[in-house]
Amino acid sequence: MENNIKKKLEKWVKENYKQYATGWTAERSAGNCDDCFDDGYTSGQSWAAYEIGCILGIELEEPDEPEYE
């Protein structure tokens, strides 16, 4: 992989992986529909960053698993 691309991907992962957001569920946003889209987007982006980070071999905190009631 071209070194410049790898550096850009690593930067993207570090900017977009929010470990705490990987455990967010629809229940977290229940009753606040304005927040629902943003929460889902942030959670999905964090999971994508985690997966890409793993492929690149970046040390990241383990993601939170969703807790369903």
Side-chain angles (χ1 to χ4, degrees):
M1 177 183 305
E2 188 178 319
N3 198 33
N4 189 33
I5 293 172
K6 185 175 180 181
K7 285 182 182 181
K8 287 181 180 180
L9 283 170
E10 288 172 345
K11 181 181 180 209
W12 183 85
V13 167
K14 290 176 183 171
E15 290 174 352
N16 292 285
Y17 179 58
K18 295 170 180 60
Q19 180 265 346
Y20 58 86
T22 56
W24 290 356
T25 64
E27 291 147 356
R28 179 183 185 276
S29 303
N32 188 356
C33 62
D34 292 339
D35 219 20
C36 202
F37 177 80
D38 190 53
D39 285 355
Y41 178 85
T42 302
S43 179
Q45 185 177 43
S46 293
W47 274 109
Y50 178 75
E51 293 294 328
I52 293 169
C54 288
I55 291 168
L56 295 173
I58 299 172
E59 288 281 326
L60 297 168
E61 277 186 78
E62 288 292 317
D64 279 349
E65 292 296 325
E67 291 182 24
Y68 300 100
E69 292 181 16

